[in-house]
């Protein structure tokens, strides 16, 4: 019976000990499903069932009453209401409005071209390309909707004024971090990227107030990255997290949180599909830093470009 269902998960979802990093959505339609997707992994029990049902058929959820959604997800109207609040909405009406607007845009923009369809081994490359493009396009738009530009501004100001910037990441996130380190280095920002936890911890221990540490992890649960960012924070450095989960351990310990979204496909799980959105956010951050250090950045970029120019093949020199 739906009416007798008891939800014991609410306390595990809404944290009261520390700042709430949720961005209130109100009736805004941008990124509603991305917000649900990002939060679903941190929900349990009845709240998780509501999230999974919404994601499995957003259009049906947008048409359903609160009682219908509760019945279909095997929960109760009270649980649906708690779910809405956990996602940053005042009530179910706001959630329905946001989902309806977003799914309507998706149809008109062509984003429903089989994003959720399983990629089969025999699919032609033309269809695979279409799915990848659709998934990446959707992830970019979702990331733009999730991203708090005030947080980007805070991170850019901190990096622009830092004597030293440490970037931490493991595996694929380390590759993204190295790209950011290279970009910052080209405009005269003293930046280092670390993927070895021993070297990273040693470097983090030497940071001081005014320095910046950036930790990159899509799940926000990579232990090595969490340890390195925590060490940097304990030394007074400003800590920045780039992650897809706002209530992850990495996000909880960071001073600034930059959120990304992803659209997984059969052969690209979340961790891989998150790369392009991560690069977009870091590119935005890099440009914001360059804007705030314009004269220094312009001069540094010109000098570094001149330094490597001699290693480019002359036009027409190759056979």
């Amino acid at each position: 019976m739906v009416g007798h269902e008891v939800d014991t998960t609410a306390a595990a979802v809404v944290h009261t000990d520390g700042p709430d990093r949720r961005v209130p959505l109100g009736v805004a339609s941008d990124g509603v499903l991305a917000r649900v997707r990002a939060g679903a992994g941190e929900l349990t029990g009845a709240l998780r069932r509501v999230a999974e049902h919404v994601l499995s058929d957003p259009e049906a959820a947008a048409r359903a009453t609160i009682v219908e959604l509760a019945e279909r997800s095997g929960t109760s109207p009270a649980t649906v209401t708690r779910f809405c609040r956990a996602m940053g909405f005042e009530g179910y009406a706001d959630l329905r409005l946001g989902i309806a607007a977003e799914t309507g845009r998706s149809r008109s923009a062509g984003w429903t071209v089989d994003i959720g369809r399983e990629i089969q081994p025999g699919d032609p490359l033309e269809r695979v390309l279409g799915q990848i493009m659709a998934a990446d396009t959707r992830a970019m738009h979702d990331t733009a909707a999730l991203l708090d530009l005030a947080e980007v501004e805070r991170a850019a100001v901190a990096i622009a004024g830092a004597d030293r910037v440490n970037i931490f990441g493991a595996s694929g996130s380390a590759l993204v971090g190295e790209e950011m380190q290279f970009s910052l280095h080209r405009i005269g920002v003293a930046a280092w990227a670390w993927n070895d936890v021993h070297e990273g911890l040693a470097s983090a221990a030497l940071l001081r107030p005014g320095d910046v540490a950036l930790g990159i992890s899509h799940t926000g649960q990579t232990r090595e990255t969490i340890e390195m960012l925590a060490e940097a924070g304990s030394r007074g450095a400003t800590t920045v997290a780039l992650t897809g989960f706002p209530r992850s351990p990495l996000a909880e310990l960071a001073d600034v949180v930059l959120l990304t979204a992803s659209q997984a496909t059969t052969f690209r799980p979340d961790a891989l599909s998150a790369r392009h959105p991560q690069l977009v956010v870091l590119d935005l951050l890099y440009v914001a830093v360059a804007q705030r250090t314009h004269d220094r950045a312009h001069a540094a970029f010109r000098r570094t470009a001149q330094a490597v120019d001699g290693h480019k093949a002359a036009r027409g020199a190759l056979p």
Side-chain angles (χ1 to χ4, degrees), residues 7 13 18 26 31 69 71-72 80 128 133 137 162 175 256 264 295 302:
D7 178 21
V13 176
L69 181 60
E71 291 177 345
R72 293 170 186 174
V80 174
V128 174
M133 291 296 295
T137 299
L175 300 177
V256 180
D295 292 341
R302 186 176 63 249

Side-chain angles (χ1 to χ4, degrees), residues 78-272:
T79 297
V80 174
T81 299
R82 285 193 290 272
F83 168 77
C84 294
R85 290 173 179 168
M87 293 296 105
F89 289 92
E90 292 185 2
Y92 184 58
D94 289 343
L95 176 68
R96 286 183 65 188
L97 180 61
I99 295 175
E102 187 168 336
T103 54
R105 276 201 316 276
S106 296
R107 285 196 302 274
S108 64
W111 287 332
T112 57
V113 185
D114 268 351
I115 287 179
R117 176 184 174 272
E118 290 292 300
I119 298 177
Q120 301 299 323
D123 282 349
L125 286 180
E126 181 179 7
R127 188 179 189 91
V128 174
L129 175 61
Q131 286 200 262
I132 291 174
M133 291 296 295
D136 282 351
T137 299
R138 184 69 223 175
M140 298 295 185
H141 282 269
D142 286 348
T143 294
L146 284 174
L147 194 60
D148 186 343
L149 295 181
E151 292 285 271
V152 176
E153 174 78 21
R154 288 180 61 198
V157 169
I159 292 174
D163 290 328
R164 181 185 181 98
V165 177
N166 271 8
I167 303 171
F168 307 121
S171 188
S173 294
L175 300 177
V176 176
E178 289 172 2
E179 180 75 15
M180 184 60 170
Q181 185 271 335
F182 176 75
S183 296
L184 292 175
H185 200 70
R186 287 292 299 269
I187 59 172
V189 176
W192 287 261
W194 305 98
N195 57 27
D196 179 89
V197 66
H198 295 276
E199 295 177 352
L201 286 172
S203 182
L206 297 177
L207 295 180
R208 299 175 296 179
D211 293 332
V212 174
L214 168 63
I216 304 172
S217 170
H218 172 62
T219 64
Q221 296 179 352
T222 304
R223 181 176 300 174
E224 293 84 353
T225 304
I226 294 170
E227 289 178 358
M228 291 185 285
L229 198 68
E231 177 65 28
S234 72
R235 303 297 174 173
T238 299
T239 53
V240 182
L242 179 66
T243 181
F245 295 88
R247 296 187 189 89
S248 62
L250 188 71
E252 290 291 346
L253 67 84
D255 299 312
V256 180
V257 178
L258 307 179
L259 292 176
T260 61
S262 63
Q263 286 280 347
T265 60
T266 307
F267 299 107
R268 287 201 314 168
D270 274 348
L272 291 178

